[in-house]
Structures are given as structure tokens and as C-alpha cells.
Amino acid sequence: MKEQAAKASCPSCGKDRVLRADTGRCVVCSRVCEECGHPVRVAGNRLCRDCRRRAEREAAKTLCPRCGRPGLVREATGWCGSCSRPRQQKQPPRVCGECGQLRRHAGLGLCSACWQRHPGRPFIRGEHLRDRLVDPPGWLDDFVAHVAARHCVARACSFITEVGRLLQDELSNSPQALLERSRRPGRSMGTFARTLEDFFTLQGLALPTDQAERLAAGRRKRRVDAAPEPLRPAVAAFDASRMRAQDRARRAGTRPRSNLTLEAALATMRDLAVFLTDQRGKGDWALVDVHDIEAFLATLPRARKRRLTVLRQFFGFARSQRVILVDPTRGLTAKEGNGYRGRTLTLDQQRHLFRRWTCNDGAHPHEALLGMLALLHCASSSEVRMLQVTDIDPATQTVRLGKRPHPVPLDPASWAVLQRCLAHRAAWPTQNPHVMVTKGTKGGRSPASTAYLSHVLDDCGYPPRTVRGTRLVDLVNTMDPKLVAAAFGMDPQATLIYLADHIDPTRLPDQPQKRN
């Protein structure tokens, strides 16, 4: 009975045994390994089973005479196990069939460098992908040929690998679903997604993505979030109402506001909200009066008319939503002359630019093309941006620019600049139909971005609008404005702006001579 009462449950093993007073555990659990501290089951052993076996293996090791590291020396070879294993022998180097150098081969009788740039690699990768797929799509071969013709070998192979990854997952393999899954999160959808979009839309297999709308929504959100917190809800509601108006205009077939117009309006409202909070100390739209609006418009006098138009639209919306009771912009005006107020180039500056774009090979072909067409033919940035190779007629040396009713004949200097730009385009492995092809658009069919065109003439020091405005002012003031409007596809009232503050001295009556 005493022995049964002395037993208790061991905290280590959980069995009913006699516990030792020094450790509080049973006799078996009180014996621990000297190396790792785990229990030792056999009495008289200093190490547990794992540590004892590890020590025996270390004791059996000797230094290998080949590599000099401790190991189990094999009797057959006299070396350790790593040195005794037979290694795969490399193939002897051979003469490459492409470069003719003695190198080790990577495939098809070519060395690694020649194999990496072999034009048949994408098609071989496509064949291997087709063999792995259970049900390969019918457009796979066309996609392989599409990327092989527009991209380098390495990028084309990576695109084929990405397509294989999408086709082998458990989701839908329809072209539209593949296009949506290929997009990267963030402001850029990725080169692979853009290439896949170009291919599917060209083949008529999927609709274009809403990437442009997503980017525009992100830009609008950043402008709304930049407004101070007390004034932000009204700005967000104003943006939502204008977006609904844009959607209604699209469905009705009228002219909706562009994303650029909507973003410029939100930028104006953001600046006004920051001005009211920091400069005027007002955190509520109901506290805004006409003096605050006048002070805000005075910060940028040249943008008064444009900003006042946006403010009238916002406060009209705010009054309809009962955010304010009185419109502070009701009595304000922004009377300005309709004449042309832009900068123009002097005759010496025009001659300098002409020599730069015709005699200087250091100027970029895109800069020379945009500059010459703007300087001599009044071409806008959008007209040059949308110019395609099919719009050029080599027989008559004419081009079609924008919505102009007739082809534009080019002078020899402009034609030479255009040929130089076409030669620069031919150096790219591209099938983009536009004349002005950049690094980002050479793999697709979209034109160059508006941001790129706005900075093409940065090296010459004059923006495209100044160069084009100089030519328009000269033509309108020396010719009939209606003829200029008809030739350039412009509205007749648009050309009258360039006649402001101009008097033709030949049409003034002769002053009578004074009598003595």
C-alpha cells in the first residue's frame, strides 16, 4: 500500500511512477543526454540514441585524400562518397554552326550564345507547349508567330511560357478570361498583357481592356484625395456627377467630356480647396464668398477664364445639392480678348530650327519630323502622332494629316526628313502601322503617347504649339483666313483668332497731303 501511494504521474512521460525529489520526474525521465538534453532510456548511457549514432558516424570519418574533407572513405576507390560517385561527363566542344567558334553546344548544333538568339526558338517552345497541353487552343500557333515577329527571341519565349502557365491552370481558358488574368495590378498592365491584348483584338477574339479608364479613375481619385478632408466630400460628389454626365453623353451619341477635361477640373477644385484651407482658414463650402474666389483667381491671372468656368460649374452643382445657398461666382466675369496670345518665333529662330532639322544629323528623327511638319505645314502633335505609313504616297510625295480634306504635298526638305524617320522606324523589328514608333509601342499597334509627343522638341527649346502657331499666324495674316481653314480642315472662326491686332497697311487709304 505504501508503494502504491508513493507513485504519481510523471510530468514528462505521463506514466504512474515513483518521482525523484531532485528532478520531480521519474527515474527514466531524469536521465538526460549530455549533448541535446533529451531523455536517455538506457541506464549508464551519457548520450541519447540520435546523439550516440551521430558520434559514431563522426568517429568513423577520416580525411579524404582527394578533396581533403572528412568523410567515409570507400574501400573500392579510397575516396569519400562524394568523390567516388561517377559524374556526368560533358560533351566535348564542337564547332558552332552559326559563329564557327569551338564551343560547347546548347542545341541544334549551336553554341549557347547563338542558340539564345536563334529565330526558331519561339516556334520550338510553342511546339513543346502544344505537346504538353491536353486541349491546345487553335490560336496558339498564330500567337507564337505574332510574338516572334514583333519581339526579340528571349521575350517571345517568355511570353509563350506565360501563356502556357495561364492555359495550364484550373480557370477558364477563353481569350477574354486569359486577358484579364494576364494583367498586372497597378498603373501598368504589363508588356505581356499589352501583347496579348493586341493579338486578341487583332484576331477578333476578345474586347480591349479598360486599362485607360482605370488609369483615368486613378488620376481622378488622387486629385480628390489631395483635397482637405472637410471639403473633400463635395469634390467627390462633383466628380461622380460629371462621370454620370459623361456616361449619358456616350450613350446618347453626343460629345462627352474627355478624361483630360475632367481631370483638369478636379485639379482646379483641389487647388481651390487647399487655398481655402491654408490661406483663408475656411473648412466649409458654405463660408466661401466672392472675395475668396477673387483671391484664388488672382493667383494665376492667365488661367482666370478657364478656372472661373470650372468654379461656376462646381458651385452650380453645389447649390443644386443644397451644399451652399448662394453662388459666389454669380457676379464674376472673365472678359478676355479672343486674339492669339501665344508666343511666336522670329525669322532668325525659324532659320535656326530649319537648319537644325535638315542639316544636323544629331537631331532625333522624331524631333525633326514633328518640327518640320509644324514649321512648314502647320501640323499639330496629334496629326503627326496618328500619321501612318499607309498615309504616305511616294509617287506624289504627299501625306494625309488628320482630318485635312486633301493630301499635303511635301517639299524636298520635309520629304527627306520623313524618309529619315522611316529609316529609323525600319531599324525596329515592328509591325506598328504608325510612322512614329517608340520603344514602348514597337511591339503593338498603338500610336506614341501624347506625353512623348509633348517632349519631343525639348532639345530645340520650343514647344510644338509655338512652332505651329508661328506658321498659322503667318499664313492667316498673308492669305485669306477662310482658305487656310479649308486647307487645314479647321473651323473658319478658329483662324480669325490669329488676325487679332493686325492691320494690313496696303488696304489703308492714302493719307491726304497737307497743303501749305
Side-chain angles (χ1 to χ4, degrees):
M1 296 297 293
K2 292 182 179 179
E3 183 179 356
Q4 292 293 334
K7 289 184 178 180
S9 177
C10 178
S12 296
C13 60
K15 297 181 180 179
D16 292 337
R17 293 178 178 176
V18 179
L19 303 182
R20 295 184 56 175
D22 54 349
T23 61
R25 296 180 294 182
C26 63
V27 178
V28 178
C29 296
S30 297
R31 297 190 295 266
V32 296
C33 178
E34 296 179 357
E35 293 291 338
C36 61
H38 290 171
V40 178
R41 300 299 178 183
V42 180
N45 289 345
R46 299 180 301 101
L47 303 176
C48 62
R49 183 190 61 183
D50 297 337
C51 293
R52 187 173 63 255
R53 291 180 179 178
R54 189 181 303 110
E56 292 175 356
R57 288 196 302 267
E58 292 296 332
K61 289 182 179 181
T62 57
L63 295 178
C64 176
R66 184 179 183 183
C67 62
R69 293 178 297 180
L72 299 178
V73 178
R74 308 287 177 87
E75 296 181 358
T77 60
W79 297 334
C80 63
S82 300
C83 297
S84 300
R85 296 189 189 96
R87 300 180 181 273
Q88 182 179 2
Q89 299 295 330
K90 294 183 179 180
Q91 296 181 357
R94 291 174 293 175
V95 176
C96 176
E98 183 70 21
C99 62
Q101 298 184 8
L102 186 64
R103 293 180 178 177
R104 298 190 184 277
H105 283 207
L108 297 181
L110 305 176
C111 63
S112 178
C114 296
W115 167 250
Q116 292 297 328
R117 58 175 178 266
H118 189 266
R121 273 187 63 205
F123 300 95
I124 296 175
R125 183 72 60 89
E127 293 177 0
H128 293 170
L129 177 60
R130 176 175 288 276
D131 295 338
R132 291 197 310 268
L133 296 176
V134 179
D135 186 15
W139 48 263
L140 183 58
D141 294 338
D142 295 336
F143 177 76
V144 173
H146 178 84
V147 297
R150 289 165 173 80
H151 299 276
C152 64
V153 176
R155 176 162 289 186
C157 291
S158 66
F159 287 166
I160 298 173
T161 303
E162 290 293 330
V163 167
R165 178 183 60 82
L166 295 177
L167 292 175
Q168 290 174 341
D169 57 15
E170 299 178 356
L171 301 177
S172 174
N173 288 339
S174 63
Q176 195 70 42
L178 293 175
L179 182 57
E180 292 297 330
R181 296 205 305 273
S182 66
R183 300 169 64 178
R184 291 182 180 177
R187 300 178 62 179
S188 175
M189 63 187 297
T191 308
F192 171 63
R194 289 196 299 268
T195 303
L196 206 61
E197 180 184 17
D198 293 338
F199 171 73
F200 283 151
T201 54
L202 186 63
Q203 298 292 328
L205 300 175
L207 297 175
T209 60
D210 58 343
Q211 185 67 17
E213 286 74 12
R214 286 190 180 186
L215 295 179
R219 292 191 295 266
R220 292 195 306 270
K221 185 178 183 301
R222 288 192 295 271
R223 285 161 174 77
V224 172
D225 293 343
E229 181 65 28
L231 307 177
R232 189 180 305 167
V235 179
F238 177 63
D239 176 47
S241 67
R242 291 168 70 90
M243 291 303 299
R244 290 192 297 268
Q246 185 190 51
D247 184 61
R248 287 194 303 268
R250 287 175 177 174
R251 287 182 293 175
T254 58
R255 298 180 60 184
R257 294 186 179 95
S258 64
N259 293 328
L260 183 61
T261 302
L262 299 178
E263 294 161 14
L266 289 180
T268 301
M269 296 311 304
R270 174 202 60 197
D271 297 340
L272 176 61
V274 173
F275 176 80
L276 293 176
T277 304
D278 297 343
Q279 304 295 331
R280 313 296 286 190
K282 296 183 178 181
D284 192 349
W285 291 110
L287 302 177
V288 181
D289 55 14
V290 64
H291 303 289
D292 301 327
I293 302 301
E294 284 287 1
F296 173 71
L297 296 177
T299 56
L300 291 177
R302 300 185 61 180
R304 177 184 176 89
K305 184 176 181 180
R306 173 175 53 86
R307 283 186 161 189
L308 184 57
T309 302
V310 175
L311 296 184
R312 285 172 177 170
Q313 296 172 356
F314 171 76
F315 284 109
F317 164 79
R319 191 170 182 272
S320 65
Q321 299 295 320
R322 301 298 189 271
V323 178
I324 60 175
L325 297 178
V326 179
D327 186 357
T329 63
R330 178 176 297 179
L332 296 180
T333 59
K335 294 182 179 180
E336 294 181 355
N338 293 328
Y340 178 72
R341 298 185 301 273
R343 292 177 53 193
T344 57
L345 304 177
T346 63
L347 188 58
D348 293 337
Q349 292 173 340
Q350 297 179 46
R351 290 171 178 171
H352 171 73
L353 293 178
F354 183 84
R355 288 191 295 267
R356 171 185 174 86
W357 294 329
T358 56
C359 303
N360 185 11
D361 294 337
H364 196 275
H366 293 172
E367 175 194 342
L369 178 65
L370 178 59
M372 288 295 293
L373 293 182
L375 182 64
L376 300 182
H377 306 280
C378 292
S380 62
S381 298
S382 60
E383 291 177 338
V384 180
R385 173 173 170 262
M386 302 303 297
L387 179 62
Q388 298 187 5
V389 180
T390 55
D391 297 331
I392 303 174
D393 188 0
T396 59
Q397 294 189 359
T398 58
V399 295
R400 286 194 172 273
L401 294 177
K403 298 180 180 180
R404 301 191 182 188
H406 304 287
V408 179
L410 298 184
D411 55 282
S414 301
W415 183 257
V417 170
L418 178 60
Q419 295 302 314
R420 178 186 169 198
C421 188
L422 292 176
H424 177 268
R425 176 185 177 276
W428 295 94
T430 180
Q431 295 187 7
N432 194 308
H434 297 86
V435 174
M436 194 171 289
V437 178
T438 62
K439 185 178 180 180
T441 62
K442 67 181 181 65
R445 300 180 61 85
S446 60
S449 63
T450 55
Y452 177 80
L453 266 295
S454 63
H455 294 284
V456 166
L457 300 186
D458 286 352
D459 293 341
C460 71
Y462 303 103
R465 181 176 298 181
T466 300
V467 180
R468 180 173 182 263
T470 301
R471 184 59 173 167
L472 271 175
V473 169
D474 180 64
L475 290 177
V476 171
N477 287 275
T478 56
M479 298 174 59
D480 190 345
K482 292 185 177 181
L483 295 179
V484 177
F488 294 160
M490 301 172 59
D491 189 87
Q493 296 180 355
T495 56
L496 296 178
I497 298 176
Y498 297 91
L499 280 175
D501 299 333
H502 174 74
I503 299 177
D504 189 356
T506 60
R507 297 187 179 183
L508 294 177
D510 296 335
Q511 296 181 0
Q513 297 180 356
K514 295 182 180 181
R515 297 180 180 179
N516 295 330

